[in-house]
Amino acid sequence: QVQLVESGGGLVQAGDSLRLSCAASGRTFSGGAMGWFRQAPGKEREFVGAIWWSTSSTIYAESVQGRFTISGGNARNTLYLQMNTLKPEDTAVYYCAAKTGPGRSWGYWGQGTQVTVSS
């Protein structure tokens, strides 16, 4: 059974930093990608960023570019999201997701972890 488990969420103040982790088990995604999405109350789920394991290339949403950094463990089954200079508008439930290869959908999802940024 494939599982993605996020951790590291919490309540922080604007300007603080926070690191989220996602641990994958049940299969590897070394030929595909893992990424982060978020959903704020009353809003659609949005893409935050992702990493392609084969090239270690990363891509970010414009709203987090320069503040958030995605990285992974050597075994490519752990994903991190380092969030710096957090803003109240970053408040959301953050989800880890994975896909098995190019052209595939984000077919695997974690349960989410809450990040709340107070002003």
Side-chain angles (χ1 to χ4, degrees):
Q1 182 180 359
V2 178
Q3 281 192 311
L4 301 179
V5 180
E6 303 97 335
S7 61
L11 172 63
V12 296
Q13 294 187 329
D16 285 352
S17 297
L18 200 61
R19 190 174 86 153
L20 305 183
S21 300
C22 172
S25 61
R27 71 161 295 156
T28 63
F29 299 96
S30 57
M34 291 182 70
W36 292 96
F37 291 74
R38 68 185 181 185
Q39 188 167 20
K43 294 189 176 181
E44 300 275 325
R45 185 174 298 187
E46 65 174 358
F47 173 79
V48 174
I51 184 168
W52 285 96
W53 293 124
S54 60
T55 59
S56 296
S57 61
T58 55
I59 184 171
Y60 299 95
E62 186 176 339
S63 59
V64 306
Q65 183 77 44
R67 299 188 298 122
F68 291 10
T69 302
I70 287 175
S71 61
N74 290 335
R76 298 179 174 181
N77 60 356
T78 305
L79 184 70
Y80 303 104
L81 179 65
Q82 177 66 43
M83 304 184 291
N84 298 329
T85 320
L86 282 160
K87 305 175 181 180
E89 51 264 42
D90 295 317
T91 295
V93 177
Y94 284 70
Y95 297 90
C96 175
K99 58 169 70 179
T100 56
R104 301 282 187 172
S105 64
W106 293 100
Y108 301 89
W109 293 86
Q111 82 288 349
T113 185
Q114 176 71 46
V115 172
T116 303
V117 184
S118 65
S119 58

